[in-house]
Amino acid sequence: MSQMHAIVIGAGIVGVCSALQLQRKGFRVTLMERDEPGAGASYGNASVLASESVTPISMPGIVRKVPGMLLDPMGPLRIRWSYLPRLAPWLWRFVLAGRKAEAERITADLAKLLDGCIEDFRPLLKAANAENLLVERGWIGAFLSHATLEKSGYATELQERHGVSIKKMTTNELRELEPALSKDIAGGYYYPGVAHVVDSHKLTVRLADSFLSNGGTLLKETAKDLSKDHKGHVCAVRTESAEHSCDKLVIAAGAWSRSLARKAGVVVSLDTERGYHFNINQPSIGLSRPVYVPETGLACTPLDDSIRLAGTVEFGGLEAPPDWKRAEVLASRGRELFPELDTQHGTSWMGFRPSMPDSLPVIGPATPSSNVYLAFGHGHLGLTLAARTGRMISEMACESSVCVDPHPYRSMRF
Ligand SMILES: Cc1cc2nc3c(=O)[nH]c(=O)nc-3n(C[C@H](O)[C@H](O)[C@H](O)COP(=O)(O)OP(=O)(O)OC[C@H]3O[C@@H](n4cnc5c(N)ncnc54)[C@H](O)[C@@H]3O)c2cc1C
């Protein structure tokens, strides 16, 4: 096994965890990244290990929301008109995934993947001496209106059915946990099993450093093409400057994975849900745990030295420039939740979630007998599921038993 060479394309949190797990299994591993580790979506996300997020993004009733997505540029879900023709096939699959029976099947498949996902981080954090980056204080779902709180019953019922621990709380009970919360919220839920990290970028970099200090190689190059041997197996990755041979290849290039997957012989329905953050260095309030507002899609997370307001979804592809007004809107929504929050000074960021229409990632071989493994499409859960994904990929690459049956996450499921 020590002779086997694996290349992992993409040093986001999914690629880094895959590289570490392959290394732990005895592979010689090269991590190929065109930028710096953690420069993609893994840089600025909400940093929540959202182990309770078993329900898909597309849920029953989503069809009624699509017109609003087109008409409200500052809404929590937005589609840019110019991108609609390219998005249409993906959007149709997204709508189909929201049918009740489908949503329930997907919930079961997500729950299997999420079960124990935080535990899978522990050996990686320990080896990186980075256990202090993990904070286990749960998280809060805070509702702005009584009407939406009442309508949330179906989603919480699905969560409970799949073993998620939930406590319904009044406004006062939530304010006992987080005194900075507004008196005007309608109440919500506390999820004790959820964790967060003090900074997703710092975590990715620390894990990448651990990979390097264990003898891994980091190549700052862009994967352009794949070379195949006479049997049709991928034997090398071609970059702008060289050709690097490999026995196994992992494509973990986040939202940019689609063209590489096609070169490995598979067409995947991958698009991007662009998201924003507004990061406040001197927030003037204290916060112990992340708070999420389902109505606005806002997540507020205490990082080691700041508070991050993150979230919302914008369908606009990989090329269109950011719409920074969406980050400003996050600031005003933050004040709605925390009246004392000082949002005068903050920094804005946009990132590309790699998203599949059914909210399930792609984890597994490109085609049944391929030596190329796909590890992308984690949408809103890439940080949460990174260690679990890396473990599954390394188990498949070793042809040993896999901790979660990978069938629901196969590349050719549509
Ligand atoms: C606003 C926002 C909030 C979020 N909050 C959360 C959260 O709280 N919890 C959670 O679990 N998830 C969250 N997510 C989702 C999460 O950030 C992503 O799912 C995750 O970061 C994806 O990781 P990745 O490694 O697949 O992709 P990325 O981090 O995007 O990494 C892909 C890497 O591949 C590199 N690359 C691409 N093409 C090539 C190539 N040809 N050659 C070499 N390198 C290449 C890129 O440079 C990049 O570094 C959030 C996302 C956003 C946008």
Side-chain angles (χ1 to χ4, degrees):
M1 187 60 73
S2 60
Q3 300 302 310
M4 295 273 261
H5 179 217
I7 294 181
V8 178
I9 302 174
I13 190 66
V14 174
V16 168
C17 287
S18 300
L20 272 173
Q21 299 277 26
L22 285 162
Q23 195 177 48
R24 289 164 73 85
K25 293 273 188 208
F27 282 86
R28 180 167 70 84
V29 186
T30 300
L31 194 48
M32 186 180 285
E33 167 59 52
R34 64 184 178 191
D35 199 323
E36 299 298 328
S42 305
Y43 179 84
N45 61 46
S47 300
V48 181
L49 298 179
S51 52
E52 98 308 341
S53 287
V54 294
T55 53
I57 303 302
S58 180
M59 284 283 277
I62 194 77
V63 179
R64 287 195 297 279
K65 292 187 182 156
V66 171
M69 292 184 210
L70 287 163
L71 295 172
D72 179 5
M74 291 306 136
L77 273 165
R78 183 210 176 180
I79 303 172
R80 290 196 182 203
W81 278 100
S82 56
Y83 195 63
L84 188 57
R86 281 192 64 189
L87 184 68
W90 189 100
L91 192 60
W92 177 239
R93 287 178 173 142
F94 179 74
V95 168
L96 291 181
R99 290 170 298 170
K100 193 165 184 231
E102 272 299 274
E104 298 210 355
R105 177 190 64 79
I106 293 165
T107 300
D109 291 333
L110 266 178
K112 281 180 234 154
L113 211 48
L114 286 161
D115 186 22
C117 64
I118 298 177
E119 291 309 306
D120 281 358
F121 267 108
R122 293 193 201 279
L124 307 186
L125 291 172
K126 189 164 185 218
N129 204 13
E131 287 156 302
N132 59 333
L133 300 187
L134 179 69
V135 185
E136 295 178 272
R137 293 197 201 118
W139 88 322
I140 286 172
F143 286 74
L144 300 176
S145 94
H146 290 280
T148 44
L149 178 57
E150 273 159 34
K151 277 191 215 146
S152 66
Y154 177 56
T156 49
E157 186 220 309
L158 282 178
Q159 288 173 322
E160 281 179 327
R161 217 192 287 167
H162 290 284
V164 174
S165 171
I166 309 174
K167 290 181 190 163
K168 190 163 188 187
M169 288 199 169
T170 62
T171 306
N172 283 344
E173 286 169 333
L174 289 178
R175 292 188 75 238
E176 272 171 34
L177 284 178
E178 293 300 341
L181 275 171
S182 165
K183 291 183 180 120
D184 295 331
I185 61 167
Y189 300 96
Y190 173 54
Y191 296 87
V194 171
H196 70 280
V197 292
V198 298
D199 185 324
S200 60
H201 178 242
K202 201 176 270 180
L203 172 75
T204 311
V205 170
R206 284 281 282 279
L207 293 180
D209 286 347
S210 168
F211 163 77
L212 293 178
S213 56
N214 289 337
T217 303
L218 178 65
L219 272 183
K220 192 167 178 177
E221 293 179 30
T222 303
K224 299 272 187 196
D225 209 347
L226 309 179
S227 305
K228 293 186 179 163
D229 63 18
H230 64 281
K231 288 184 190 155
H233 284 149
V234 169
C235 56
V237 178
R238 276 184 265 154
T239 70
E240 66 275 44
S241 54
E243 183 162 12
H244 303 279
S245 60
C246 60
D247 302 299
K248 307 264 181 187
L249 173 67
V250 180
I251 299 176
W256 299 272
S257 299
R258 189 168 54 189
S259 58
L260 291 166
R262 191 175 296 135
K263 291 179 195 299
V266 60
V267 176
V268 287
S269 187
L270 176 74
D271 213 293
T272 181
E273 291 173 77
R274 298 146 55 113
Y276 291 79
H277 88 207
F278 188 77
N279 214 67
I280 306 163
N281 279 329
Q282 290 173 332
S284 70
I285 62 160
L287 190 63
S288 302
R289 55 182 64 72
V291 179
Y292 178 67
V293 183
E295 288 105 326
T296 57
L298 171 74
C300 311
T301 308
L303 303 188
D304 51 359
D305 52 5
S306 61
I307 285 183
R308 176 166 297 166
L309 310 175
T312 80
V313 167
E314 179 187 48
F315 293 103
L318 293 167
E319 308 298 335
D323 177 356
W324 293 121
K325 286 199 195 103
R326 289 184 70 77
E328 288 166 27
V329 166
L330 290 174
S332 65
R333 289 188 181 139
R335 290 193 300 274
E336 194 175 25
L337 191 63
F338 301 110
E340 303 300 322
L341 182 65
D342 181 352
T343 57
Q344 280 185 73
H345 305 290
T347 50
S348 300
W349 169 87
M350 187 198 70
F352 299 94
R353 293 183 190 91
S355 298
M356 300 296 289
D358 59 358
S359 301
L360 293 173
V362 177
I363 306 173
T367 54
S369 59
S370 176
N371 64 335
V372 179
Y373 297 89
L374 308 180
F376 55 75
H378 296 73
H380 296 237
L381 293 173
L383 171 65
T384 308
L385 289 171
R388 170 57 50 92
T389 301
R391 180 176 165 192
M392 289 171 69
I393 291 289
S394 68
E395 288 166 348
M396 288 181 223
C398 285
E399 296 174 20
S400 58
S401 67
V402 183
C403 58
V404 179
D405 174 10
H407 187 73
Y409 325 107
R410 66 199 180 282
S411 59
M412 294 195 270
R413 59 182 183 260
F414 292 103

